[in-house]
Amino acid sequence: MSQGDEWKWRACNAEKAIDSTNDGYWVLNADGRFMDVNPGYCRMVGYSRDEVMAMSIADFEAVATMPQIQAQILRIIQKGHARFETRHRHRNGHWIDLEITVTGVDQRYLVAFLRDISERKAADLALRELTRAAEAANQAKSDFLANMSHEIRTPMNGVIGLTDLLLETPLESDQLEYLTMVQESAKSLMAILNDMLDFSKMEAGKLSLEAALFSPAAVISESVRAMSKWAEKKGLALVCHIDPDTPSQVCGDAGRFGQILLNLCDNAIKFTTCGNVTVRARVTAVEGGAQELHLSVSDTGIGIAHDQQQSIFQAFSQADNSATRRFGGTGLGLAICTKLVALMGGRIWVTSEPGRGSAFYFTVRVNLLPAGQHPAQ
Ligand code: ADP
């Protein structure tokens, strides 16, 4: 085929494609008047070819004003091409969302292909609206959870306080036993409420840290002491090793630091029936004025299946075994710890062998303040 024949052949094919496609096609001069239009565009806007040919682009364009259209035409003629989204007006008044690909030819006119993207736009809008509604519902749920947890904590504090007072009065042995059970149940319920409150704060991005000087060794010892009674009751050895290099004072959130450790110790004791639970603390890295505390809580308990060692750090996630069901729990503790550790510039992870035990590790970054300098609040 000669080159001339090949061009003719291609032009003929292009013409057939342009006439049969559902996409729009037109050629526009620099004044915005139509020089050519295909049946696809005529169907899109609801006018006959003769009607379109007698009109200008400004009669269809629904977004840009005439000066903007003229500036756009000039820009495309100079630049050579453009792709953008706009809206054209249909004969019956409704708008059609279009994606337009325009090419400037000979610095004199524009050739454009137009695709009707109304359905895609409507789907995008519906999806955005659904996402907005889902986010609003989720926010409402989080607010409700936070309010309820807060409201229930007040009477629970009353129950715990009065039970403590009652336990100090002379009691029959079975009264003492029942009341101690009331106290334990009330404290468990309080712990669940605290987790729910923390979790709803976390969801709302309102979980924040305080900064004050504290002794890591004192917080660790206090946490271990708080757990020792329970460990003893279960016949477990609770051991604590604090590296002597651990700084005596650091700046950070002592309460939240202790909360992470307590949660890990609580789990370790909960999921261990014999053997020991060991807490270790050391300093791992020094960078500028900051140090990294490295803590581990290891146990000789039931362990965690390999495929569950990641998911347990997600909210409401519990390794599915009978022990978890037996010992209960909300499945929020590790998710809260993960968030707290991240806020403290550290990370948390686990190694575990099912049936042999688990070791949870976490690091937190703490600042060492020069002597005499007060911590920033
Ligand atoms: P909860 O203990 O309230 O269920 P957590 O988020 O603290 O929630 O823990 C999630 C799950 O991870 C637990 O339900 C348990 O299946 C598993 N897990 C956590 N710590 C241990 C541990 N020391 N030994 C065995 N399993 C553990």
Side-chain angles (χ1 to χ4, degrees), residues 195 263-264 266-272 299 301-304 312 314 317-321 324 328-335 352 358 360:
D195 273 359
N263 194 80
L264 296 185
D266 188 85
N267 280 345
I269 299 171
K270 181 161 77 172
F271 295 109
T272 305
D299 63 60
I302 58 168
I304 302 157
I312 51 168
Q314 285 157 18
S317 175
Q318 297 178 314
D320 182 25
N321 54 45
T324 306
T330 56
L332 290 177
L334 289 177
S352 182
S358 314
F360 282 81

Side-chain angles (χ1 to χ4, degrees), residues 70-144:
Q70 275 162 350
Q72 171 88 322
I73 290 175
L74 282 180
R75 248 197 322 274
I76 298 170
I77 283 181
Q78 281 160 12
K79 198 174 148 217
H81 66 273
R83 175 182 291 212
F84 56 94
E85 288 180 9
T86 190
R87 286 178 142 187
H88 281 189
R89 215 173 279 108
H90 187 274
R91 173 178 219 133
N92 67 16
H94 76 261
W95 288 347
I96 315 139
D97 285 300
L98 294 170
E99 184 185 77
I100 307 190
T101 310
V102 204
T103 308
V105 178
D106 294 341
Q107 304 246 320
R108 282 191 300 124
Y109 56 92
L110 303 178
V111 178
F113 285 95
L114 305 93
R115 174 151 295 173
D116 185 342
I117 55 166
S118 305
E119 273 181 22
R120 194 183 83 198
K121 284 272 175 193
D124 282 356
L125 193 71
L127 195 65
R128 271 205 301 278
E129 181 50 35
L130 277 176
T131 312
R132 198 203 54 74
E135 280 168 0
N138 194 35
Q139 183 59 44
K141 180 213 73 184
S142 293
D143 290 348
F144 173 76

Side-chain angles (χ1 to χ4, degrees), residues 15-32:
E15 199 181 320
K16 279 185 194 154
I18 285 167
D19 281 348
S20 61
T21 180
N22 265 337
D23 286 347
Y25 161 89
W26 38 243
V27 182
L28 215 62
N29 71 14
D31 297 330

